[in-house]
PDB file of all heavy atoms in Angstrom:
ATOM      1  N   ILE C 146      18.092 -12.454 -15.672  1.00 98.00           N
ATOM      2  CA  ILE C 146      18.668 -11.121 -15.155  1.00 98.00           C
ATOM      3  C   ILE C 146      18.341 -10.163 -16.316  1.00 98.00           C
ATOM      4  O   ILE C 146      18.624 -10.390 -17.478  1.00 98.00           O
ATOM      5  CB  ILE C 146      20.166 -11.302 -14.979  1.00 98.00           C
ATOM      6  CG1 ILE C 146      20.515 -12.312 -13.966  1.00 98.00           C
ATOM      7  CG2 ILE C 146      20.781  -9.851 -14.678  1.00 98.00           C
ATOM      8  CD1 ILE C 146      21.911 -12.518 -13.655  1.00 98.00           C
ATOM      9  N   ILE C 147      17.771  -8.937 -15.897  1.00 98.00           N
ATOM     10  CA  ILE C 147      17.400  -8.004 -16.871  1.00 98.00           C
ATOM     11  C   ILE C 147      18.323  -6.715 -16.641  1.00 98.00           C
ATOM     12  O   ILE C 147      18.262  -6.159 -15.587  1.00 98.00           O
ATOM     13  CB  ILE C 147      15.938  -7.609 -16.771  1.00 98.00           C
ATOM     14  CG1 ILE C 147      15.007  -8.757 -16.976  1.00 98.00           C
ATOM     15  CG2 ILE C 147      15.550  -6.449 -17.710  1.00 98.00           C
ATOM     16  CD1 ILE C 147      13.580  -8.501 -16.442  1.00 98.00           C
ATOM     17  N   PRO C 148      19.135  -6.420 -17.624  1.00 98.00           N
ATOM     18  CA  PRO C 148      20.016  -5.193 -17.491  1.00 98.00           C
ATOM     19  C   PRO C 148      19.171  -3.941 -17.469  1.00 98.00           C
ATOM     20  O   PRO C 148      18.370  -3.841 -18.284  1.00 98.00           O
ATOM     21  CB  PRO C 148      20.999  -5.297 -18.628  1.00 98.00           C
ATOM     22  CG  PRO C 148      20.272  -6.165 -19.652  1.00 98.00           C
ATOM     23  CD  PRO C 148      19.401  -7.029 -18.894  1.00 98.00           C
ATOM     24  N   VAL C 149      19.437  -2.982 -16.659  1.00 98.00           N
ATOM     25  CA  VAL C 149      18.706  -1.760 -16.547  1.00 98.00           C
ATOM     26  C   VAL C 149      19.861  -0.659 -16.475  1.00 98.00           C
ATOM     27  O   VAL C 149      20.567  -0.521 -15.650  1.00 98.00           O
ATOM     28  CB  VAL C 149      17.862  -1.568 -15.272  1.00 98.00           C
ATOM     29  CG1 VAL C 149      17.124  -0.248 -15.239  1.00 98.00           C
ATOM     30  CG2 VAL C 149      16.817  -2.752 -15.426  1.00 98.00           C
ATOM     31  N   ALA C 150      19.698   0.330 -17.366  1.00 98.00           N
ATOM     32  CA  ALA C 150      20.675   1.456 -17.423  1.00 98.00           C
ATOM     33  C   ALA C 150      20.075   2.743 -16.875  1.00 98.00           C
ATOM     34  O   ALA C 150      19.038   3.145 -17.567  1.00 98.00           O
ATOM     35  CB  ALA C 150      21.245   1.641 -18.828  1.00 98.00           C
ATOM     36  N   MET C 151      20.525   3.321 -15.931  1.00 98.00           N
ATOM     37  CA  MET C 151      20.084   4.578 -15.407  1.00 98.00           C
ATOM     38  C   MET C 151      20.975   5.594 -16.179  1.00 98.00           C
ATOM     39  O   MET C 151      22.247   5.589 -16.244  1.00 98.00           O
ATOM     40  CB  MET C 151      20.188   4.711 -13.980  1.00 98.00           C
ATOM     41  CG  MET C 151      19.600   3.577 -13.137  1.00 98.00           C
ATOM     42  SD  MET C 151      17.848   3.408 -13.342  1.00 98.00           S
ATOM     43  CE  MET C 151      17.251   4.944 -12.629  1.00 98.00           C
ATOM     44  N   VAL C 152      20.256   6.689 -16.670  1.00 98.00           N
ATOM     45  CA  VAL C 152      21.103   7.681 -17.450  1.00 98.00           C
ATOM     46  C   VAL C 152      20.754   9.079 -16.937  1.00 98.00           C
ATOM     47  O   VAL C 152      19.635   9.542 -16.794  1.00 98.00           O
ATOM     48  CB  VAL C 152      20.611   7.588 -18.956  1.00 98.00           C
ATOM     49  CG1 VAL C 152      21.441   8.720 -19.820  1.00 98.00           C
ATOM     50  CG2 VAL C 152      20.871   6.130 -19.491  1.00 98.00           C
ATOM     51  N   ASP C 153      21.755   9.719 -16.535  1.00 97.00           N
ATOM     52  CA  ASP C 153      21.847  11.133 -16.131  1.00 97.00           C
ATOM     53  C   ASP C 153      21.305  11.330 -14.791  1.00 97.00           C
ATOM     54  O   ASP C 153      20.942  12.580 -14.341  1.00 97.00           O
ATOM     55  CB  ASP C 153      21.023  12.102 -17.110  1.00 97.00           C
ATOM     56  CG  ASP C 153      21.894  12.339 -18.446  1.00 97.00           C
ATOM     57  OD1 ASP C 153      23.010  12.116 -18.374  1.00 97.00           O
ATOM     58  OD2 ASP C 153      21.199  12.591 -19.429  1.00 97.00           O
ATOM     59  N   THR C 154      21.101  10.279 -14.075  1.00 96.00           N
ATOM     60  CA  THR C 154      20.659  10.523 -12.546  1.00 96.00           C
ATOM     61  C   THR C 154      21.656  11.142 -11.758  1.00 96.00           C
ATOM     62  O   THR C 154      21.406  11.881 -10.840  1.00 96.00           O
ATOM     63  CB  THR C 154      20.319   9.096 -11.901  1.00 96.00           C
ATOM     64  OG1 THR C 154      21.376   8.242 -12.073  1.00 96.00           O
ATOM     65  CG2 THR C 154      19.088   8.397 -12.502  1.00 96.00           C
ATOM     66  N   GLU C 155      22.964  11.069 -12.198  1.00 96.00           N
ATOM     67  CA  GLU C 155      24.010  11.753 -11.379  1.00 96.00           C
ATOM     68  C   GLU C 155      24.031  13.340 -11.585  1.00 96.00           C
ATOM     69  O   GLU C 155      24.650  13.997 -10.863  1.00 96.00           O
ATOM     70  CB  GLU C 155      25.483  11.199 -11.841  1.00 96.00           C
ATOM     71  CG  GLU C 155      26.081  11.658 -12.994  1.00 96.00           C
ATOM     72  CD  GLU C 155      25.492  11.050 -14.303  1.00 96.00           C
ATOM     73  OE1 GLU C 155      24.592  10.403 -14.294  1.00 96.00           O
ATOM     74  OE2 GLU C 155      26.013  11.416 -15.369  1.00 96.00           O
ATOM     75  N   LYS C 156      23.432  13.670 -12.741  1.00 96.00           N
ATOM     76  CA  LYS C 156      23.281  15.040 -12.963  1.00 96.00           C
ATOM     77  C   LYS C 156      22.033  15.668 -12.182  1.00 96.00           C
ATOM     78  O   LYS C 156      21.962  16.868 -11.637  1.00 96.00           O
ATOM     79  CB  LYS C 156      23.013  15.297 -14.402  1.00 96.00           C
ATOM     80  CG  LYS C 156      24.237  14.991 -15.301  1.00 96.00           C
ATOM     81  CD  LYS C 156      23.848  15.224 -16.772  1.00 96.00           C
ATOM     82  CE  LYS C 156      25.008  14.695 -17.747  1.00 96.00           C
ATOM     83  NZ  LYS C 156      24.699  14.901 -19.145  1.00 96.00           N
ATOM     84  N   PHE C 157      20.928  14.862 -11.956  1.00 96.00           N
ATOM     85  CA  PHE C 157      19.880  15.159 -11.198  1.00 96.00           C
ATOM     86  C   PHE C 157      20.255  15.268  -9.693  1.00 96.00           C
ATOM     87  O   PHE C 157      19.907  16.109  -8.941  1.00 96.00           O
ATOM     88  CB  PHE C 157      18.765  14.166 -11.351  1.00 96.00           C
ATOM     89  CG  PHE C 157      17.449  14.495 -10.616  1.00 96.00           C
ATOM     90  CD1 PHE C 157      16.403  15.280 -11.213  1.00 96.00           C
ATOM     91  CD2 PHE C 157      17.246  14.008  -9.225  1.00 96.00           C
ATOM     92  CE1 PHE C 157      15.326  15.644 -10.510  1.00 96.00           C
ATOM     93  CE2 PHE C 157      16.112  14.305  -8.615  1.00 96.00           C
ATOM     94  CZ  PHE C 157      15.049  15.019  -9.272  1.00 96.00           C
TER      95      PHE C 157
END
Side-chain angles (χ1 to χ4, degrees):
I146 300 177
I147 302 174
V149 177
M151 308 299 295
V152 180
D153 290 335
T154 51
E155 83 283 9
K156 297 177 182 177
F157 181 92

